Amino acid sequence: MHLNKEETKFISRWARTKERGQWHYYLTRGLLWGALVSIFSNLFQSWDALKDGDTVALSDAFITSDFLVRLLIYSAIGVGLHAYHWNFNTKRYNQLKNIERRSQATANASKGYSETTN
């Protein structure tokens, strides 16, 4: 079995991601996701202040303890989700690498067999 282009591309991308490390992946992806979700959820909650043009109420909404708690919760969820993605993608990477190794070994074995028969 040979890998298709998508699987080969995944292997190369995930190898680069793995080089940067697991915590780098968690922090850059998980915390960023958590920060964006908390900012947008706070903006949706402050929608009335936005419609009224009340910029003071809007700016105060981002320095409240409610926003900080929301930021911590969504960041923790983001890190957890990306920990799951890390494990899932690492398992897929290992499976695809095994398939790649087996197909290369088969190709090398058949090449050696054809050279000895000639």
Side-chain angles (χ1 to χ4, degrees):
M1 179 179 169
H2 294 288
L3 300 177
N4 61 31
K5 288 181 184 180
E6 180 184 320
E7 292 167 335
T8 305
K9 190 175 178 180
F10 171 79
I11 288 174
S12 65
R13 278 195 329 251
W14 193 249
R16 285 192 307 269
T17 301
K18 283 180 65 162
E19 286 176 6
R20 290 187 210 119
Q22 189 172 3
W23 283 103
H24 180 267
Y25 182 79
Y26 292 168
L27 295 177
T28 56
R29 307 248 175 133
L31 290 181
L32 179 63
W33 182 88
L36 289 174
V37 170
S38 60
I39 288 169
F40 282 115
S41 70
N42 205 31
L43 285 173
F44 288 132
Q45 186 178 11
S46 304
W47 186 255
D48 290 332
L50 280 172
K51 285 194 303 188
D52 295 339
D54 188 4
T55 57
V56 174
L58 184 60
S59 64
D60 289 343
F62 286 99
I63 56 172
T64 63
S65 61
D66 180 46
F67 175 70
L68 293 177
V69 168
R70 184 178 293 151
L71 180 65
L72 288 173
I73 290 171
Y74 285 133
S75 294
I77 291 170
V79 169
L81 285 173
H82 285 84
Y84 172 77
H85 287 161
W86 176 272
N87 291 331
F88 180 80
N89 286 339
T90 300
K91 185 177 179 179
R92 180 177 178 215
Y93 172 82
N94 291 334
Q95 289 171 343
L96 292 174
K97 285 299 279 185
N98 286 336
I99 292 170
E100 183 180 56
R101 284 186 204 107
R102 277 183 281 180
S103 66
Q104 287 175 350
T106 304
N108 290 338
S110 65
K111 183 190 286 185
Y113 176 75
S114 66
E115 289 176 358
T116 59
T117 57
N118 290 333

